[in-house]
Amino acid sequence: MVSYPEIRKTLAAAGVFDPSFEAREILREYTGSELPGGDISPEAEAAIQKALQRRITGEPLQYIFGKWEFYGLPFYVGQGVLIPRPETELLVDIAVKRLRRGSSALDLCSGSGCIPVSIALKTGAKCYAVELHEAAFGYLERNITLNGADVTALRADALDGTLFPGMTFDAIFSNPPYLTGAEMRSLMREVSFEPESALYGGEDGLDFYRKIIPAWVGRLAKGGFFAVETGETQGAAVAEIMRDCGLFPEVIGDHSGLDRVVVGTLKKTSKI
Ligand code: GLN
C-alpha cells in the first residue's frame, strides 16, 4: 500500500531535491488529494508506482504528469519542450502592467506558449508567437487551444525579423535559451531531460539576445518595449545590447535579488 511517507522516502533516496513537495504533488495528481484519508484505489496505486519508476530515473515530474501550471493556467508539457518556470511569470506581470485590450504583443522562442497564452488571457492583448522546433510547436498549438487564447502561432525561426511583414508590436517578449557552456556541462539531472535547443545560448549564453534584439527592434511601435528573461548575472550585458539598439533598458531582479528580466523601452520620439 503506497502512502505519503513511503513515496517521500522513495523520492528522497533517489536524490530528489524537494521530496515532500513532490510526494504531495504525486498524491494530488493520482488521488485528487494531497493526503488521502482513506484507501488509495488499486488503479491510483499502480499509476503512482509507474510515476515513481520514471521519476527515480531523473525525469522531471512535469513531463510525467504531462501538464503543469503557469500563471494559474494549465499547460501541456513533455519531451521536446521547456517546462514553464515560476520566475518567467515576471514577464507576464510586466505585460499585465503595461498592455491592455487592443495592444499587440509578439513572443519569440515560445516553446509551450506559456508566455503568449498568459498574456493574451490576462491582458486581452492580441498575441503572436514564433517557435521553430516541431515538438515544441505542437505543444504551443495545443496550449493555445486548451486555454482558448487569442494567439496566432507561426512555426519559424525567431532570428528572422522579417516575419509578420508590415506589422509593428507594442511589446516583444522572449525567454530565449541563455545557459552558458559551463552551465550546460553541469546541468541538474532533471534539466538534462529538457531540449538543449531551449537551454543553450552559446558559450557566454548571450547569442540569442545579440541576434533577436537587433533583428526585431525596428518592429516595435513608438513607445513600445522589448522584455526578455535573462540568466541571473546577464542583466548588465543584455542592457548593453539593448542600449546599442536604441532602447532604454531597465534590469529587474527576482525575489532573490538576482537579474531576471531586462525591459528596454523605445522612446516615443525615437528615430528607429
Ligand atoms: N531558466 C532555465 C534554467 O535555469 C533556462 C531557461 C532558458 O534558457 N530560457 O534551466
Side-chain angles (χ1 to χ4, degrees):
M1 182 51 105
V2 290
S3 61
Y4 172 80
E6 217 187 316
I7 297 170
R8 195 195 165 282
K9 208 168 117 200
T10 305
L11 294 170
V16 167
F17 174 72
D18 190 346
S20 307
F21 167 75
E22 293 204 12
R24 284 195 302 273
E25 289 292 318
I26 287 173
L27 280 169
R28 188 167 50 194
E29 178 71 16
Y30 299 106
T31 72
S33 160
E34 281 187 8
L35 288 171
D39 286 348
I40 296 177
S41 71
E43 295 75 31
E45 172 146 4
I48 290 172
Q49 295 296 5
K50 234 165 104 190
L52 285 172
Q53 294 281 305
R54 287 173 67 180
R55 186 64 189 93
I56 62 179
T57 69
E59 186 174 358
L61 199 59
Q62 294 90 336
Y63 282 179
I64 297 167
F65 292 173
K67 222 179 196 185
W68 199 245
E69 205 177 274
F70 176 86
Y71 223 85
L73 300 168
F75 290 90
Y76 292 118
V77 291
Q79 295 259 331
V81 73
L82 191 80
I83 297 164
R85 290 161 163 66
E87 56 268 28
T88 304
E89 294 184 348
L90 241 178
L91 282 178
V92 183
D93 289 338
I94 289 164
V96 167
K97 277 193 207 122
R98 298 178 60 158
L99 299 179
R100 57 188 60 84
R101 189 161 296 283
S103 302
S104 60
L106 170 66
D107 180 54
L108 301 170
C109 309
S110 287
S112 68
C114 62
I115 297 169
V117 165
S118 307
I119 292 176
L121 290 178
K122 302 292 173 178
T123 70
K126 168 68 201 167
C127 292
Y128 300 82
V130 178
E131 171 56 46
L132 178 62
H133 299 95
E134 189 178 358
F137 190 77
Y139 282 103
L140 169 62
E141 287 192 304
R142 286 176 69 203
N143 286 324
I144 291 170
T145 307
L146 174 67
N147 287 285
D150 185 8
V151 178
T152 300
L154 184 65
R155 183 160 176 222
D157 187 349
L159 306 184
D160 176 2
T162 67
L163 305 173
F164 303 110
M167 292 182 60
T168 58
F169 302 93
D170 298 308
I172 301 178
F173 294 87
S174 187
N175 173 18
Y178 57 67
L179 297 190
T180 65
E183 285 167 331
M184 291 303 292
R185 290 185 284 277
S186 59
L187 284 184
M188 271 177 66
R189 194 167 59 142
E190 284 75 7
V191 182
S192 67
F193 281 76
E194 295 183 272
E196 181 179 320
S197 58
L199 296 168
Y200 182 51
E203 201 45 40
D204 69 356
L206 299 172
D207 280 5
F208 279 77
Y209 307 106
R210 285 196 196 96
K211 291 178 183 159
I212 281 176
I213 298 168
W216 286 95
V217 70
R219 307 293 300 281
L220 281 175
K222 294 278 185 274
F225 65 93
F226 227 114
V228 297
E229 179 170 320
T230 70
E232 17 193 87
T233 59
Q234 292 172 336
V238 173
E240 187 64 35
I241 294 168
M242 286 196 179
R243 227 174 271 120
D244 288 345
C245 290
L247 298 170
F248 291 81
E250 182 191 352
V251 179
I252 300 173
D254 60 20
H255 12 257
S256 329
L258 302 164
D259 298 349
R260 187 50 65 197
V261 163
V262 184
V263 184
T265 305
L266 186 64
K267 291 286 149 82
K268 288 208 169 63
T269 52
S270 168
K271 295 212 169 49
I272 296 180

